[in-house]
Amino acid sequence: MCGRFAFATRRNKLEKQFKVENLSEDPPENYNVAPTQPVPIVRDPEEAGRQVSLAHWGLVPFWAKDPKMARHTINARAETVRDKPSFRHCIRRQRCILPASGFFEWHTLGELKQPHYISMADNSLLAMAGLWDTWEGPEGIMESCTIVTTAANAFMQPIHHRMPVLLEPQDYDTWLDASDEHPDELLRPLAEGRLQSWPVSAEVGNPRRNSPDLIASTA
């Protein structure tokens, strides 16, 4: 699964990599993004160009009776995303990208759980494949999202058996194109040689902590 990630980048880097057109300032930094928090997502509305907006991390489908289910829908497994009621309508038409500086995963060593920070080896931003939906309740409209995950590639396997679906730049258009209902070929582990990782402080497990030292190596 993917349960924590970091988002810390400048406006120009986000604009250059994702070709977004609606940013007016640097986005807020968050070195310890946790479920249920607002996260930036990239979408491509018809005739509007790519846009960045905020969505609640933990997908609440339009038909949900209780938004608290979001804690159980932070990830959508690529293998079952077309079957699960929460996600099957989103995978057809409501896809997005969650940009990130890197994500965290915990490696279990006996009774010790060692967190690792995983990022792109070329220091570009991660492009995590996501889904979004709109829910309307007594307090108004809420947009929410989930991260699609897949089996780990060889690089990730020593750390964890799952990883986010990470899109290459040439695949952004296909994933965001709502006219293409079946981008299944993109639901795969990232190619080898594209990632780097290092151990980080266990403090990242505390969602109240949020500072650049959380992504610093402790090796």
Side-chain angles (χ1 to χ4, degrees), residues 17-78:
Q17 183 169 335
F18 294 99
K19 306 295 190 294
V20 293
E21 302 178 1
N22 67 323
L23 292 177
S24 59
E25 57 186 17
D26 287 338
E29 296 182 340
N30 189 342
Y31 292 90
N32 194 6
V33 182
T36 74
Q37 292 182 358
V39 297
I41 62 173
V42 176
R43 291 180 289 191
D44 196 358
E46 291 185 13
E47 301 180 1
R50 289 184 191 165
Q51 307 282 310
V52 175
S53 57
L54 292 178
H56 180 96
W57 184 19
L59 191 136
V60 181
F62 70 91
W63 46 260
K65 294 182 178 180
D66 189 344
K68 292 180 180 179
M69 69 175 293
R71 293 187 176 275
H72 305 289
T73 53
I74 64 169
N75 291 163
R77 292 175 67 94

Side-chain angles (χ1 to χ4, degrees), residues 8-164:
T9 188
R10 298 291 184 182
R11 167 188 169 187
N12 59 352
K13 186 173 183 178
L14 196 61
E15 289 177 330
K16 182 177 181 181
Q17 183 169 335
F18 294 99
K19 306 295 190 294
V20 293
E21 302 178 1
N22 67 323
L23 292 177
S24 59
E25 57 186 17
D26 287 338
E29 296 182 340
N30 189 342
Y31 292 90
N32 194 6
V33 182
T36 74
Q37 292 182 358
V39 297
I41 62 173
V42 176
R43 291 180 289 191
D44 196 358
E46 291 185 13
E47 301 180 1
R50 289 184 191 165
Q51 307 282 310
V52 175
S53 57
L54 292 178
H56 180 96
W57 184 19
L59 191 136
V60 181
F62 70 91
W63 46 260
K65 294 182 178 180
D66 189 344
K68 292 180 180 179
M69 69 175 293
R71 293 187 176 275
H72 305 289
T73 53
I74 64 169
N75 291 163
R77 292 175 67 94
E79 298 88 342
T80 59
V81 70
R82 292 196 178 278
D83 304 318
K84 297 292 185 181
S86 296
F87 309 126
R88 62 191 179 195
H89 63 289
C90 299
I91 188 64
R92 295 179 59 207
R93 301 287 189 184
Q94 294 170 197
R95 300 186 295 270
C96 63
I97 294 173
L98 284 80
S101 307
F103 68 96
F104 299 97
E105 197 53 83
W106 278 256
H107 178 208
T108 301
L109 298 168
E111 297 183 357
L112 174 67
K113 289 188 175 181
Q114 172 63 57
H116 289 257
Y117 179 69
I118 300 99
S119 60
M120 298 298 289
D122 62 4
N123 294 315
S124 62
L125 295 171
L126 299 174
M128 299 188 291
L131 309 174
W132 65 274
D133 207 351
T134 301
W135 180 83
E136 186 169 2
E139 297 182 359
I141 294 173
M142 178 176 70
E143 290 195 328
S144 60
C145 64
T146 187
I147 297 170
V148 184
T149 66
T150 186
N153 62 12
F155 179 86
M156 278 294 301
Q157 285 172 6
I159 302 173
H160 199 269
H161 66 285
R162 303 290 294 178
M163 67 183 296

